[in-house]
């Protein structure tokens, strides 16, 4: 116990969590209260002496402050130098956050005293976040209404301020709200010591870099056209397996920093004009080798939005291309943004040249340090700033990478092998009716994937080629795993008998066994605990109205699932399917479980389950309740926590799954499902695993779009290899979906042979429903290639992207002829134009707008290859762009390749988007330089669907030419002629590769659109 003159507070909270044991909690509760006031104290004495029990709800989690005794005496107040005081504040902040999520303090008789205690303790420290917490509490609990506690009167508070004039004043309510919102936006909140150490290492490395040194190194490699193998930089290529954690980190950490460098340099290469902003340094302090400074900011005048975790460049002078380098400049990280100021972090100790090396002193950093720490007026400390990029995503990836040693699946990730367990007791089973439903509605390969998940293997890899029902399989998985129970519960005879040499009489031994291990003679007692109302027995069914799904009494396991995807568009596809289709319960009834979609830029079609929408709903409901019953509205933070704790399925992008919003949840996730897992770099895939889970599903296709990697050095060393691909390459078992339901068989034929070892097969009716009226013309058939042999490519000045005007002209004519003959195709939901280059997409948009006006976006969907994965249309036209280069004055440069059009994964995506017809437009002679494109062109040639098109292109679509290409009419004529001669002969190929006037036959490509809604999103990289 503390000495005389000391007030001791022991605060304990019991809130919702399914992990704690109730009887154990009771014993701990008694022990804490006894330690505070003595074993003979009555509940009233405990209350009076500061022991406060703030309510109990069905499940329990204890936040126990018994290890801390906060001493507050008239002569000694906690401060930044008092670690006990700081610890107190952190504990109390957590205490208050959790309380607000499940319990309203005003409704408890101790509530006002608890509020006042926290307020006084927080006011006693000078740290800014603690002051924020204090004002936040006041705002939530009646503002200036106070209960005096322990002599902390207003007069004393004023006297303390007069005795400490350097103490910052309180912020206004508006500023406090702004700070709280900024804390929500922060990408990384460093509460875990391991995470804090990792992020400090990351910040020191990046903030110490020299911006101009990075530019010089980049220009050097570009100028020499040198393909760096990483040896000079000490980089290692990505391997299939690793010996240990150190081997793993030694490979991935340097590559990740190379990617950060590339993102920084990319800002310099952007076409947008960079604008400098003048700012004044208003405050500066130093902590943990970092300089923390505040600079002026006016959000109304800023042309470029600045957010937390943005990397900025600060310089004493402005500088432009070719100008003399400044002598005072450094990187800074935005930590908080307020209406009139930015809170920044700088590392000025020295420059870190390479990972795992000490910082080297730098004059530019010393100059910056002298400037910002000088005692002159703030007007004399001007700095020019330039926003570089955001570090939010890659900082989360770095934390996940450094956490590899603590992940539950560490050994599997490193070695690509799992420990084999011979027991079948770990398998989970689903109820009979649901099992029958799943069998009837999934094909053999889909069932194999679902059963693999029920085996409870820690990692399950599912490869979903285009059109094979990947999303349908995910929905089936969710139905199965959310309603499954352990196999041991289905056994009638109990577990196998355990034989041991008796040392006691059998009846005594049996009695002891029964007491110590009751599951040896019957069922596990935990399995016999049936859910009751309000105790996990009801599952909410929708994201809006929380209607309960009544659960069968045999269902005792309430699993929580985190569903992730690399991009917002891919994530929203899954959420939309969940909302439209739902999942099945054990009685085969369709329902929508409680879903929450967190993160930014949610599509409007899924707004009903987006976090922001749900928060506003709850706040409106809370406001209505406040008017009726009185009380205080909950803040957004507590509402978010409550929504997430209620959710059965939480949907997030890979990056946002590393935000503090999920890391602070009362309970983690049992299952993590990552869709499009082959599109993410390995560190990104690790981000959702850091939260902890029991099973991971990686769903994707390594022969479709790869992860986007900006650094050419990191890309060449395999940094773009996904965890899915690496495990598959190392021999980890993969379940591949083999039956496709999207494409006409003639579209499916080439990708199945080229990319899937001819493993793909067609669904039973796919040919019938993908055959269309326009197929009667061979040039509009399921698979065609138009050889624009006279086309020329060009590269706009200052751009790394390519265009081909000849292909634009031909595609415009092709589209016009198609929609004039078949008006049902005049819709963006039916027809898409795809190109690998953003500048070509821009050309198409401009030409279609000139031709069709403002309605052009409604009549056709124009997108890049990267923007269309997962989508599908009836017809897809693919413009390849690459051709003979348009000659420039005085130059005859021999072309060496076709850029990233040669990426077979992008090719696979482009030719598998269409259901009925894929029409490829390109230069056959140029594309033949690549092996895969040569195979495609030969396939088109062999099937008689390769058309050589000459100028003028309009003649190709003349009535005479189309009559020659009318397959059905020609077949009827040939049959009639054969009948007159006394027999029917096989139809000759109507498509011949050669110059037959202005039109010859060519090939078409397949394009893949998945289970999509509406249009396609633009995306990806286009530069070679």
């Amino acid at each position: 116990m503390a000495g005389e003159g000391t007030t001791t507070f022991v605060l304990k909270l019991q809130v919702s969590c399914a992990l704690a044991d109730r009887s154990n909690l009771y014993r701990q509760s008694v022990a804490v209260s006894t330690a505070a006031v003595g074993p003979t104290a009555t509940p009233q004495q405990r209350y009076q002496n500061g022991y406060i029990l703030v309510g109990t709800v069905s499940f329990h989690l204890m936040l126990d402050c018994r290890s801390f005794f906060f001493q507050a005496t008239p002569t000694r107040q906690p401060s930044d130098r008092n670690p006990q005081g700081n610890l107190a504040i952190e504990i109390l902040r957590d205490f208050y956050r959790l309380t607000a999520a499940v319990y309203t303090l005003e409704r408890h008789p101790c509530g006002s005293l608890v509020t006042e205690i926290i307020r006084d303790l927080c006011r006693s420290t000078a740290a800014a976040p603690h002051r924020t917490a204090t004002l936040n509490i006041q705002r939530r609990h009646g503002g200036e209404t106070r209960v005096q506690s322990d002599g902390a009167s207003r007069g004393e508070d004023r006297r303390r301020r007069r005795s400490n004039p350097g103490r910052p004043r309180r912020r206004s309510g508006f500023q406090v709200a702004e700070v709280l919102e900024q804390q929500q936006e922060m990408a990384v909140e460093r509460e875990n010591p391991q995470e804090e150490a990792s992020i400090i290492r990351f910040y020191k490395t990046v903030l110490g870099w020299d911006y101009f040194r990075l530019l010089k190194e980049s220009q050097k490699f570009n100028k020499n056209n040198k393909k760096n193998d990483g040896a000079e930089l000490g980089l290692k290529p990505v391997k299939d397996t690793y010996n240990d954690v150190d081997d793993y980190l030694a490979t991935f950490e340097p590559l990740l920093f190379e990617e950060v460098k590339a993102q920084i340099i990319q800002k310099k290469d952007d076409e947008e004009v960079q604008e400098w902003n003048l700012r004044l340094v208003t405050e500066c302090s130093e902590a943990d080798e970092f300089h923390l400074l505040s600079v002026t900011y006016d959000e109304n005048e800023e042309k470029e939005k600045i957010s937390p975790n943005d990397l900025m460049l600060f310089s004493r002078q402005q500088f432009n291309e070719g100008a003399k380098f400044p002598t005072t400049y450094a990187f800074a990280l935005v930590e908080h943004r307020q209406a009139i100021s930015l809170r920044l972090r700088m590392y000025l100790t020295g420059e870190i040249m390479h990972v795992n090396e000490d910082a080297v002193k730098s004059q530019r950093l010393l100059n910056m340090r002298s400037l910002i720490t000088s005692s002159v007026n703030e007007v004399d400390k001007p700095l020019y700033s330039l926003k570089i990029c955001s570090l939010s995503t890659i900082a989360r990836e770095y934390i996940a990478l450094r956490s590899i040693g603590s992940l539950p699946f560490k050994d599997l990730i490193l070695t690509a092998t799992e420990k084999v367990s011979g027991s079948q007791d770990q398998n989970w089973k689903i109820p009979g009716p649901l099992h029958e439903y799943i069998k009837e509605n999934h094909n053999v390969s889909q069932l194999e994937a679902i059963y693999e998940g029920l085996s409870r293997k820690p990692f399950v890899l599912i490869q979903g080629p285009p059109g094979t029902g990947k999303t349908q399989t995910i929905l089936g998985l969710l139905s199965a795993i959310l309603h499954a129970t352990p196999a041991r519960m289905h056994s009638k005879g109990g577990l196998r008998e355990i034989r041991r040499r008796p040392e006691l009489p059998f009846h005594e031994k049996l009695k002891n066994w029964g007491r110590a291990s009751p599951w040896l003679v019957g069922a596990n007692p935990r399995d016999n605990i049936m859910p009751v109302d309000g105790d996990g027995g009801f599952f909410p069914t929708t994201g809006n109205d929380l209607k309960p799904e009544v659960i069968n009494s045999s269902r005792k396991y309430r699993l929580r699932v985190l569903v992730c995807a690399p991009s917002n568009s891919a994530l929203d596809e899954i959420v939309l399917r969940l909302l439209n289709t739902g999942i099945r319960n054990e009685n085969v009834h369709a329902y929508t479980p409680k879903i929450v979609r967190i993160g930014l830029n949610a599509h409007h079609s899924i707004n009903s389950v987006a976090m922001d929408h749900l928060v506003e709903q709850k706040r409106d409901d809370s406001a209505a309740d406040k008017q009726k019953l009185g009380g205080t509205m909950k803040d957004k933070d507590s509402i978010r926590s409550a929504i997430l704790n209620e959710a059965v399925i939480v949907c997030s992008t890979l990056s946002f799954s590393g935000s503090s919003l999920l890391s602070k949840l009362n309970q983690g996730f049992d299952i993590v499902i990552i869709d499009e897992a082959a599109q993410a770099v390995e560190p990104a895939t690790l981000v959702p695993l850091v939260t902890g889970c029991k099973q991971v599903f990686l769903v994707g296709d390594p022969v479709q779009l790869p992860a986007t990697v900006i650094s050419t050095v990191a890309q060449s060393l395999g940094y773009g290899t996904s965890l899915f691909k690496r495990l598959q390459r190392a021999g980890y078992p993969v379940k591949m979906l083999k039956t496709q339901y999207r494409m006409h068989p003639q579209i499916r034929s080439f990708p199945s042979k080229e990319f899937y070892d001819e493993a793909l097969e067609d669904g039973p009716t796919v040919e019938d429903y993908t055959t269309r009226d326009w197929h009667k013309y061979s040039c509009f058939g399921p698979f065609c290639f138009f050889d624009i042999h006279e086309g020329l490519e060009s590269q706009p000045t200052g751009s790394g992207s390519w265009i081909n005007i000849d292909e634009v002209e031909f595609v415009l004519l092709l589209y016009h002829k198609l929609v004039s003959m078949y008006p049902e195709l005049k819709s963006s939901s039916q027809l898409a134009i795809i190109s690998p280059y953003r500048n070509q997409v821009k050309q198409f948009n401009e030409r279609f707008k000139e031709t069709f006006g403002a309605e052009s976006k409604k009549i056709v969907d124009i997108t890049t290859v990267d923007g269309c994965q997962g989508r599908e249309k009836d017809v897809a036209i693919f413009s390849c762009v690459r051709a003979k280069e348009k000659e420039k004055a005085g130059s005859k440069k021999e072309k060496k390749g076709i850029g990233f059009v040669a990426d077979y994964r992008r090719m696979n995506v482009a030719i598998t988007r269409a259901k009925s017809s894929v029409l490829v437009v390109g230069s056959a002679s140029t594309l033949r330089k690549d092996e895969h494109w040569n195979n495609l062109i030969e396939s088109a040639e062999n099937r008689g669907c390769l058309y050589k098109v000459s100028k003028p292109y309009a003649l190709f679509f003349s009535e005479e030419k189309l009559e020659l290409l009318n397959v059905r009419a020609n077949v009827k004529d040939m049959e009639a002629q054969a009948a007159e001669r006394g027999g029917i002969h096989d139809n000759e190929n109507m498509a011949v590769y050669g110059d037959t006037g202005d039109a010859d036959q060519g090939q078409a490509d397949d394009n893949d659109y998945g289970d999509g809604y509406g249009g396609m999103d633009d995306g990806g990289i286009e530069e070679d």
Side-chain angles (χ1 to χ4, degrees), residues 296-308:
T296 55
Y297 170 78
D298 188 346
E299 60 183 8
N300 296 322
E301 296 183 2
E302 299 286 335
K303 294 184 178 180
E304 194 171 17
K305 182 180 178 182
I306 297 177
S307 303

Side-chain angles (χ1 to χ4, degrees), residues 165-180:
R167 181 187 180 93
R169 295 188 174 274
R170 296 180 180 177
R171 297 180 174 92
S172 67
F174 171 78
Q175 290 173 314
V176 170
E178 179 73 17
V179 170
L180 293 173

Side-chain angles (χ1 to χ4, degrees), residues 719-1021:
Y719 184 70
T721 304
S722 64
L723 178 60
F724 188 116
K725 179 64 176 177
R726 182 172 69 81
L727 293 178
Q728 183 186 45
R729 206 166 54 193
Y732 194 87
V734 177
K735 293 294 180 181
M736 188 173 89
L737 309 181
K738 298 179 180 179
T739 304
Q740 71 89 19
Y741 301 92
R742 173 191 299 166
M743 301 169 282
H744 190 282
Q746 290 186 40
I747 302 176
R748 183 267 312 152
S749 174
F750 176 76
S752 177
K753 179 180 179 180
E754 190 75 8
F755 307 120
Y756 302 104
D757 296 326
E758 296 190 339
L760 295 187
E761 54 190 32
D762 301 318
T765 61
V766 68
E767 184 171 8
D768 294 336
Y769 82 81
T770 57
T771 299
R772 296 288 191 269
D773 291 342
W774 53 84
H775 288 171
K776 71 177 184 179
Y777 295 99
S778 60
C779 62
F780 301 146
F783 183 76
C784 299
F785 188 101
F786 298 96
D787 179 15
I788 311 300
H789 63 97
E790 297 174 327
L792 298 174
E793 67 177 23
S794 60
Q795 197 171 26
T797 304
S799 170
S801 191
W802 294 86
I803 61 174
N804 188 318
I805 300 300
D806 295 291
E807 290 187 12
V808 172
E809 297 294 336
F810 178 79
V811 169
L812 196 64
L813 291 169
L814 173 61
Y815 171 84
H816 189 272
K817 179 57 69 173
L818 261 176
V819 298
S820 62
M821 298 176 66
Y822 303 96
E824 64 268 28
L825 291 177
K826 196 173 184 178
S827 167
S828 60
S829 63
Q830 302 294 319
L831 192 148
I833 297 174
I834 306 168
S835 177
Y837 292 97
R838 190 171 294 168
N839 271 1
Q840 184 78 343
V841 169
K842 184 179 179 181
Q843 289 290 324
F844 278 123
N845 280 319
E846 291 174 354
R847 289 302 307 277
F848 271 80
K849 189 173 182 179
E850 291 173 5
T851 305
F852 298 100
E855 299 294 308
S856 60
K857 290 187 177 181
K858 296 181 180 180
I859 62 174
V860 63
D861 198 357
I862 304 173
T863 183
T864 63
V865 176
D866 292 55
C868 70
Q869 178 159 340
R871 309 299 181 91
E872 59 185 27
K873 305 285 182 182
D874 273 337
V875 176
I877 303 172
F878 180 50
S879 171
C880 299
V881 179
R882 303 312 296 265
K884 291 181 295 185
E885 188 170 4
K886 190 175 182 180
E887 291 187 8
K888 298 179 182 179
S891 71
K892 291 185 178 180
K893 185 170 64 173
E894 186 69 23
K895 288 191 59 60
K896 294 183 179 180
I898 58 174
F900 74 90
V901 176
D903 188 334
Y904 67 92
R905 296 164 296 189
R906 283 187 168 83
M907 174 189 183
N908 185 28
V909 170
I911 64 176
T912 53
R913 299 305 97 197
K915 293 186 287 187
S916 299
S917 296
V918 57
L919 312 175
V920 183
V921 179
S923 169
S925 60
T926 302
L927 296 174
R928 281 183 186 273
K929 297 175 182 178
D930 176 74
E931 177 185 359
H932 296 290
W933 278 105
N934 182 62
N935 293 341
L936 183 143
I937 294 168
E938 286 186 355
S939 174
E941 204 169 6
N942 295 335
R943 287 190 272 174
C945 50
L946 177 63
Y947 299 87
K948 188 174 183 179
V949 184
S950 301
K951 295 181 179 181
Y953 301 134
L955 291 179
F956 183 86
F957 298 107
S958 64
E959 295 299 328
E960 297 81 5
K961 297 294 182 184
L962 286 178
E963 277 303 313
L964 293 175
L965 300 173
N966 189 328
V967 178
R968 295 176 187 173
N970 289 332
V971 168
K972 289 180 180 178
D973 291 342
M974 294 179 67
E975 288 177 349
Q977 294 173 8
E980 292 177 0
R981 294 195 301 265
I984 299 178
H985 301 281
D986 290 340
N987 182 25
E988 298 176 2
N989 272 344
M990 296 299 299
V992 180
Y993 186 72
D995 194 355
T996 59
D998 296 309
D1000 278 29
Q1001 293 193 327
Q1003 161 199 3
D1005 233 353
D1006 335 8
N1007 281 10
D1008 161 17
Y1009 286 61
D1011 331 287
Y1013 62 81
M1016 302 180 186
D1017 294 328
D1018 195 9
I1021 5 177

